[in-house]
Amino acid sequence: MQYMLLIHVDEAAMAAAAPTASPDKAYEMGQPFMAYNEALKKAGAWVAGDRLAPSSSTTRVRMLGDRTEVLDGPFADTKEQLGGYYIIEAQDLDAAIQWAARCPAAQNKAVEVRPIWKAQ
């Protein structure tokens, strides 16, 4: 079964920790994530994964009747934003939780585990 591991980050804290870094630099993947990626691949659990651009680059699209509404982000009124994801193959939820616990982001951020419902 496939699961999505959603990595939530505090963009304000990241910016404060590296005030002179560009957004790309703040989102740079460190060695712990590279090792985690390799472990997923070696175990055959890797399906996909990547970082997301900062929430300030978000665009929200919705239809209002026959009119398309396009709004620029960010939109989250929360402390944390979605910063990246993994799609993994795991035997069951317990195995997916074990992979989430090994994710470097779980050390100080939230990693949400969600089953993927395949489109028919």
Side-chain angles (χ1 to χ4, degrees):
M1 180 166 197
Q2 289 187 343
Y3 293 86
M4 182 172 264
L5 308 182
L6 301 159
I7 299 170
H8 298 271
V9 300
D10 182 341
E11 290 178 346
M14 287 173 63
T20 60
S22 68
D24 290 345
K25 187 73 172 167
Y27 276 69
E28 196 170 84
M29 196 174 293
Q31 182 56 37
F33 279 97
M34 299 303 281
Y36 180 68
N37 294 352
E38 288 306 312
L40 284 167
K41 290 173 184 175
K42 186 175 181 180
W46 174 276
V47 175
D50 226 325
R51 300 165 291 160
L52 297 175
S55 63
S56 60
S57 66
T58 301
T59 302
R60 179 179 286 173
V61 178
R62 68 177 166 189
M63 295 301 297
L64 299 173
D66 61 352
R67 185 173 61 89
T68 304
E69 180 181 71
V70 179
L71 301 169
D72 292 330
F75 301 101
D77 291 330
T78 63
K79 184 176 180 179
E80 295 182 333
Q81 295 76 33
L82 186 58
Y85 69 94
Y86 287 96
I87 298 175
I88 65 168
E89 190 71 44
Q91 181 177 347
D92 54 27
L93 179 59
D94 290 335
I97 289 170
Q98 289 176 359
W99 276 113
R102 289 179 61 183
C103 180
Q107 299 305 311
N108 56 8
K109 300 171 191 74
V111 177
E112 181 179 342
V113 178
R114 296 192 55 185
I116 294 176
W117 286 353
K118 291 287 188 179
Q120 299 297 327

